[in-house]
Amino acid sequence: MESKRFRLDRFISGKLQIPKKQIRPMLAAGRVRVDGIIARDMDQIVDQFSHVVVDDITLQQHSAHYIMLHKPIGVVCATKDEQHTTVMELLPANSPQDLHIVGRLDLNTSGLVLLTNDGHWSRQLMSPTQKIPKQYLVTLKHPLTPAYIEAFTKGFYFEYEDITTLPAELQILGPNRALVTLYEGKYHQIKRMFGRFRNQVMALHRIAVGNIVLDENLQSGQSRPLTKAEQDYF
Protein backbone atom coordinates (compact mmCIF):
# COMPACT_ATOMS: atom_id res chain seq x y z
CA MET A 1 0.00 0.00 0.00
CA GLU A 2 1.41 3.40 -0.97
CA SER A 3 1.60 6.17 1.61
CA LYS A 4 -0.69 9.02 0.56
CA ARG A 5 0.68 12.45 1.47
CA PHE A 6 -0.97 15.74 0.49
CA ARG A 7 -0.72 19.43 1.22
CA LEU A 8 -3.60 20.34 3.53
CA ASP A 9 -5.20 22.80 1.11
CA ARG A 10 -5.15 20.24 -1.69
CA PHE A 11 -6.58 17.56 0.60
CA ILE A 12 -9.49 19.73 1.81
CA SER A 13 -10.17 21.02 -1.70
CA GLY A 14 -10.47 17.49 -3.01
CA LYS A 15 -12.62 16.25 -0.15
CA LEU A 16 -15.06 19.19 -0.14
CA GLN A 17 -14.88 19.86 -3.89
CA ILE A 18 -14.15 23.54 -3.38
CA PRO A 19 -11.43 25.80 -4.90
CA LYS A 20 -8.13 25.89 -2.99
CA LYS A 21 -8.37 29.69 -2.67
CA GLN A 22 -11.27 29.17 -0.24
CA ILE A 23 -9.11 27.15 2.13
CA ARG A 24 -6.93 30.02 3.46
CA PRO A 25 -9.80 31.91 5.19
CA MET A 26 -11.08 28.63 6.64
CA LEU A 27 -7.65 28.01 8.20
CA ALA A 28 -7.38 31.62 9.43
CA ALA A 29 -10.76 31.25 11.15
CA GLY A 30 -9.60 28.13 13.00
CA ARG A 31 -12.20 25.92 11.33
CA VAL A 32 -9.77 23.11 10.48
CA ARG A 33 -8.30 20.59 12.92
CA VAL A 34 -5.66 17.99 12.14
CA ASP A 35 -5.24 15.27 14.76
CA GLY A 36 -7.16 17.42 17.23
CA ILE A 37 -5.00 20.54 16.75
CA ILE A 38 -6.17 23.70 14.96
CA ALA A 39 -4.32 23.91 11.63
CA ARG A 40 -3.27 27.29 10.21
CA ASP A 41 -0.75 26.33 7.51
CA MET A 42 -2.19 25.33 4.14
CA ASP A 43 1.21 23.78 3.28
CA GLN A 44 0.94 21.35 6.20
CA ILE A 45 1.33 17.75 5.04
CA VAL A 46 -1.32 15.19 5.91
CA ASP A 47 -1.24 11.47 5.19
CA GLN A 48 -3.74 8.64 5.05
CA PHE A 49 -3.80 8.38 8.85
CA SER A 50 -4.30 12.07 9.66
CA HIS A 51 -7.61 12.83 11.41
CA VAL A 52 -8.94 15.88 9.54
CA VAL A 53 -12.04 17.78 10.65
CA VAL A 54 -13.53 20.93 9.07
CA ASP A 55 -16.15 22.53 11.34
CA ASP A 56 -17.98 19.42 12.56
CA ILE A 57 -17.39 17.40 9.40
CA THR A 58 -14.83 14.59 9.63
CA LEU A 59 -13.06 14.36 6.28
CA GLN A 60 -10.83 11.44 7.22
CA GLN A 61 -10.31 9.21 10.22
CA HIS A 62 -8.21 6.17 9.36
CA SER A 63 -6.01 4.21 11.73
CA ALA A 64 -2.61 2.64 11.14
CA HIS A 65 -2.34 -1.03 12.05
CA TYR A 66 0.81 -3.04 12.77
CA ILE A 67 0.64 -6.78 13.41
CA MET A 68 3.12 -9.57 14.14
CA LEU A 69 2.26 -13.12 13.17
CA HIS A 70 3.96 -16.41 13.99
CA LYS A 71 4.00 -18.04 10.56
CA PRO A 72 3.89 -21.85 10.46
CA ILE A 73 5.71 -23.96 7.88
CA GLY A 74 3.46 -24.67 4.89
CA VAL A 75 1.72 -21.28 4.95
CA VAL A 76 2.47 -18.79 2.15
CA CYS A 77 3.07 -15.06 2.48
CA ALA A 78 0.42 -14.05 -0.02
CA THR A 79 -3.06 -12.57 -0.06
CA LYS A 80 -4.49 -15.45 -2.11
CA ASP A 81 -3.26 -18.90 -3.07
CA GLU A 82 -5.13 -21.81 -4.62
CA GLN A 83 -2.94 -24.52 -3.08
CA HIS A 84 -1.85 -23.30 0.35
CA THR A 85 -3.19 -21.46 3.37
CA THR A 86 -2.10 -17.81 3.36
CA VAL A 87 -0.97 -15.68 6.29
CA MET A 88 -4.06 -13.52 5.71
CA GLU A 89 -6.28 -16.51 6.45
CA LEU A 90 -4.63 -16.91 9.85
CA LEU A 91 -5.62 -13.42 11.03
CA PRO A 92 -8.76 -12.86 13.14
CA ALA A 93 -11.93 -12.25 11.16
CA ASN A 94 -12.16 -8.63 12.36
CA SER A 95 -8.68 -7.71 11.09
CA PRO A 96 -8.36 -4.65 8.79
CA GLN A 97 -8.85 -5.47 5.11
CA ASP A 98 -6.09 -3.19 3.79
CA LEU A 99 -3.08 -4.95 5.32
CA HIS A 100 -0.02 -5.91 3.30
CA ILE A 101 2.86 -8.23 4.14
CA VAL A 102 6.24 -6.80 5.17
CA GLY A 103 9.27 -9.00 4.46
CA ARG A 104 7.90 -12.28 3.16
CA LEU A 105 9.06 -15.74 4.21
CA ASP A 106 9.01 -18.70 1.87
CA LEU A 107 6.73 -21.72 2.26
CA ASN A 108 9.14 -23.79 4.35
CA THR A 109 10.35 -20.98 6.63
CA SER A 110 8.58 -20.26 9.91
CA GLY A 111 8.63 -17.36 12.32
CA LEU A 112 8.07 -13.63 12.43
CA VAL A 113 5.96 -12.02 9.71
CA LEU A 114 4.84 -8.39 9.93
CA LEU A 115 1.69 -6.92 8.42
CA THR A 116 0.58 -3.30 8.20
CA ASN A 117 -1.45 -0.79 6.20
CA ASP A 118 1.28 1.85 6.62
CA GLY A 119 3.25 1.88 3.37
CA HIS A 120 5.83 4.39 4.60
CA TRP A 121 6.63 2.25 7.66
CA SER A 122 6.99 -0.97 5.67
CA ARG A 123 9.22 0.61 3.03
CA GLN A 124 11.51 2.01 5.70
CA LEU A 125 11.71 -1.36 7.43
CA MET A 126 12.61 -3.22 4.24
CA SER A 127 14.75 -0.55 2.55
CA PRO A 128 18.26 -1.86 1.70
CA THR A 129 19.73 1.49 2.73
CA GLN A 130 18.45 1.08 6.29
CA LYS A 131 20.32 -2.24 6.74
CA ILE A 132 17.79 -3.42 9.33
CA PRO A 133 19.08 -6.62 11.02
CA LYS A 134 17.01 -9.76 10.58
CA GLN A 135 17.72 -12.78 12.80
CA TYR A 136 17.14 -16.43 11.97
CA LEU A 137 17.55 -19.69 13.85
CA VAL A 138 19.00 -22.25 11.44
CA THR A 139 19.20 -26.04 11.78
CA LEU A 140 21.75 -27.71 9.49
CA LYS A 141 22.20 -31.27 8.24
CA HIS A 142 25.92 -31.37 9.06
CA PRO A 143 27.94 -29.96 11.98
CA LEU A 144 29.23 -26.40 11.92
CA THR A 145 32.86 -25.27 12.28
CA PRO A 146 34.50 -21.87 13.02
CA ALA A 147 35.18 -21.56 9.27
CA TYR A 148 31.50 -20.70 8.79
CA ILE A 149 31.82 -17.63 11.02
CA GLU A 150 34.69 -16.21 8.98
CA ALA A 151 32.98 -16.90 5.65
CA PHE A 152 29.73 -15.23 6.72
CA THR A 153 31.66 -12.19 7.96
CA LYS A 154 33.45 -11.82 4.62
CA GLY A 155 30.33 -12.27 2.50
CA PHE A 156 29.63 -14.56 -0.46
CA TYR A 157 29.79 -13.81 -4.16
CA PHE A 158 26.62 -14.82 -5.99
CA GLU A 159 27.44 -15.30 -9.65
CA TYR A 160 23.85 -15.17 -10.93
CA GLU A 161 23.22 -11.66 -9.59
CA ASP A 162 26.91 -10.63 -9.81
CA ILE A 163 26.84 -9.38 -6.22
CA THR A 164 28.72 -9.98 -2.98
CA THR A 165 26.54 -10.29 0.11
CA LEU A 166 26.98 -7.86 2.96
CA PRO A 167 28.86 -9.13 6.02
CA ALA A 168 26.59 -11.33 8.12
CA GLU A 169 26.90 -12.60 11.66
CA LEU A 170 26.85 -16.28 12.54
CA GLN A 171 26.79 -17.56 16.10
CA ILE A 172 27.13 -21.31 16.63
CA LEU A 173 24.50 -22.48 19.12
CA GLY A 174 25.15 -26.21 18.88
CA PRO A 175 26.68 -28.81 16.59
CA ASN A 176 24.00 -28.26 13.94
CA ARG A 177 22.34 -25.02 15.05
CA ALA A 178 23.21 -21.38 14.43
CA LEU A 179 21.87 -17.88 14.89
CA VAL A 180 22.33 -15.87 11.69
CA THR A 181 21.92 -12.09 11.44
CA LEU A 182 21.48 -10.60 7.96
CA TYR A 183 21.40 -6.94 6.94
CA GLU A 184 19.82 -7.55 3.54
CA GLY A 185 17.41 -10.03 1.96
CA LYS A 186 18.60 -11.76 -1.20
CA TYR A 187 16.65 -14.63 -2.75
CA HIS A 188 17.03 -17.76 -0.54
CA GLN A 189 20.14 -16.10 0.85
CA ILE A 190 20.70 -18.21 3.95
CA LYS A 191 20.18 -21.50 2.13
CA ARG A 192 22.58 -20.42 -0.62
CA MET A 193 25.22 -19.28 1.87
CA PHE A 194 25.21 -22.60 3.69
CA GLY A 195 25.07 -24.28 0.30
CA ARG A 196 28.65 -23.11 -0.28
CA PHE A 197 29.62 -25.55 2.46
CA ARG A 198 27.36 -28.23 0.95
CA ASN A 199 25.41 -28.13 4.21
CA GLN A 200 21.65 -28.37 3.77
CA VAL A 201 19.35 -26.13 5.79
CA MET A 202 16.88 -28.42 7.51
CA ALA A 203 14.88 -25.71 9.31
CA LEU A 204 14.77 -21.92 9.11
CA HIS A 205 12.93 -19.74 11.63
CA ARG A 206 12.94 -15.93 11.73
CA ILE A 207 12.93 -14.56 15.27
CA ALA A 208 13.47 -10.81 14.81
CA VAL A 209 13.36 -7.87 12.41
CA GLY A 210 15.15 -4.88 13.89
CA ASN A 211 13.91 -4.38 17.44
CA ILE A 212 10.74 -6.40 16.77
CA VAL A 213 11.21 -9.83 18.32
CA LEU A 214 8.75 -12.68 17.82
CA ASP A 215 6.62 -12.91 20.96
CA GLU A 216 7.41 -16.15 22.80
CA ASN A 217 3.77 -16.33 23.89
CA LEU A 218 2.49 -16.51 20.31
CA GLN A 219 1.80 -20.06 19.23
CA SER A 220 2.38 -21.02 15.61
CA GLY A 221 -0.40 -19.41 13.56
CA GLN A 222 -1.25 -16.77 16.17
CA SER A 223 -0.87 -13.00 15.85
CA ARG A 224 -1.09 -9.81 17.90
CA PRO A 225 -0.81 -6.03 17.35
CA LEU A 226 2.61 -4.52 17.80
CA THR A 227 3.23 -2.50 20.93
CA LYS A 228 3.86 1.25 20.63
CA ALA A 229 7.58 0.68 21.23
CA GLU A 230 7.70 -1.93 18.46
CA GLN A 231 5.86 0.38 16.04
CA ASP A 232 8.17 3.30 16.74
CA TYR A 233 11.27 1.82 15.13
CA PHE A 234 11.41 4.91 12.90
Side-chain angles (χ1 to χ4, degrees), residues 130-173:
Q130 295 286 349
K131 296 183 173 58
I132 304 297
K134 304 168 187 67
Q135 290 192 320
Y136 299 81
L137 291 174
V138 190
T139 303
L140 287 308
K141 185 174 184 178
H142 303 297
L144 295 154
T145 69
Y148 285 75
I149 299 174
E150 182 179 359
F152 273 64
T153 301
K154 288 182 177 179
F156 294 83
Y157 177 68
F158 289 167
E159 296 86 352
Y160 183 77
E161 296 97 331
D162 190 26
I163 58 168
T164 299
T165 62
L166 293 176
E169 299 163 16
L170 184 146
Q171 179 182 352
I172 297 176
L173 303 179

Side-chain angles (χ1 to χ4, degrees), residues 15-36:
K15 288 289 185 178
L16 297 181
Q17 295 296 297
I18 59 177
K20 285 195 288 186
K21 64 182 181 181
Q22 294 184 18
I23 309 302
R24 188 187 295 273
M26 294 170 62
L27 293 169
R31 295 170 56 193
V32 179
R33 289 181 178 269
V34 177
D35 298 327

